[in-house]
Amino acid sequence: MLMNRIETMVVDSGPRRGLQRWYETPALLRLGGKLPPGSRALELGCGAGYGTGLILEQFGAERVDAIDLDPQMVARATRRLAPYGGRVRLSTGDVTDLRRVLDAPDGGYDAVFDFAILHHVEDWQAAVGEIARVLRPGGRFYFDEVTADALATRGYRWLFEHPTHNRFTAAEFVAELERQGLAVGSRWLTRIRGHYLLGVADRAAHAPA
Ligand SMILES: C[S@@+](CC[C@H](N)C(=O)[O-])C[C@H]1O[C@@H](n2cnc3c(N)ncnc32)[C@H](O)[C@@H]1O
């Protein structure tokens, strides 16, 4: 689901960029570490592309494919990421449809990043299935999410627009990852009474059918 105008402003703002650089990235690096040299990463819902730069610079990816549903966000990301040249490939499309949008092969990525996007996706379980499909065995999923507890607050309901059904708590999100062969174990944490969730998961060598 596309963001409304207020969220579009918030997402591409200095405070959001600061939070992503100075809190979320170090927390995810503590949980999951850097990527091996030469890694190919996929970023879901890249927005204006600030996180894509962090994936290259801080997590150490060699190349990033990044996708967003909103063509205006992809246009902003294209401008921001131009200095990286061929290390970044941007596409417009839905994260539940990676095969068509990106021609993403099974097991084609060493890492997938979710910086606050799956809570926007109606069928987020289908997106988890796609993440499990495109990660190579042993590949890593880094996630930073907004839970149903946050979305139910007056502030979120007044200011932003999100799907109202089929949202997830932190525990439900982690359980769905595990169900689809993405092993989290104890590598996750919540913040602000369970409103925010950060963690990493590794794709099992043999994902469940
Ligand atoms: C809250 S913003 C997060 C943007 C950026 N990752 C960040 O952390 O600042 C969510 C982004 O996901 C995109 N989005 C929402 N639903 C999507 C979908 N089904 N497929 C791809 N992108 C989607 C939105 O257009 C938006 O750019």
Side-chain angles (χ1 to χ4, degrees):
M1 175 190 256
L2 292 178
M3 297 183 291
N4 67 10
R5 193 182 295 202
I6 297 173
E7 192 173 9
T8 299
M9 271 169 31
V10 171
V11 156
D12 195 12
S13 68
R16 168 72 195 130
R17 289 192 285 272
L19 185 68
Q20 201 170 7
R21 172 177 287 271
W22 300 114
Y23 179 70
E24 293 168 9
T25 294
L28 289 174
L29 283 169
R30 275 195 299 277
L31 289 165
K34 283 184 77 148
L35 299 172
S39 290
R40 184 170 177 198
L42 168 66
E43 186 188 9
L44 309 174
C46 61
Y50 187 73
T52 319
L54 295 174
I55 294 166
L56 292 162
E57 303 286 351
Q58 309 279 328
F59 290 87
E62 178 58 35
R63 295 182 50 195
V64 182
D65 289 345
I67 175 175
D68 200 284
L69 192 58
D70 185 344
Q72 292 183 18
M73 280 291 158
V74 174
R76 288 190 203 187
T78 301
R79 287 193 290 277
R80 171 167 281 132
L81 297 164
Y84 293 104
R87 293 179 66 196
V88 175
R89 179 171 66 135
L90 288 153
S91 306
T92 304
D94 195 307
V95 296
T96 59
D97 199 11
L98 296 178
R99 205 184 290 273
R100 194 184 60 77
V101 179
L102 284 176
D103 198 17
D106 295 1
Y109 292 97
D110 301 294
V112 175
F113 287 81
D114 157 21
F115 281 114
I117 178 243
L118 292 190
H119 67 284
H120 270 275
V121 178
E122 275 92 354
D123 190 353
W124 62 273
Q125 293 95 335
V128 171
E130 276 295 88
I131 294 162
R133 180 183 72 76
V134 302
L135 270 177
R136 68 165 169 79
R140 187 151 292 171
F141 176 44
Y142 295 81
F143 54 92
D144 154 37
E145 266 306 333
V146 181
T147 69
D149 309 270
L151 300 178
T153 62
R154 208 174 287 175
Y156 266 91
R157 284 188 285 117
W158 281 358
L159 292 173
F160 308 131
E161 275 174 48
H162 295 94
T164 49
H165 301 294
N166 187 31
R167 298 307 83 198
F168 47 79
T169 63
E172 286 165 351
F173 189 80
V174 169
E176 181 64 17
L177 296 185
E178 297 274 359
R179 195 183 71 77
Q180 298 213 37
L182 296 166
V184 184
S186 60
R187 296 171 302 167
W188 60 289
L189 55 88
T190 61
R191 289 289 178 258
I192 315 188
R193 301 184 307 283
H195 288 193
Y196 304 98
L197 161 70
L198 294 106
V200 296
D202 291 334
R203 185 184 178 278
H206 301 286

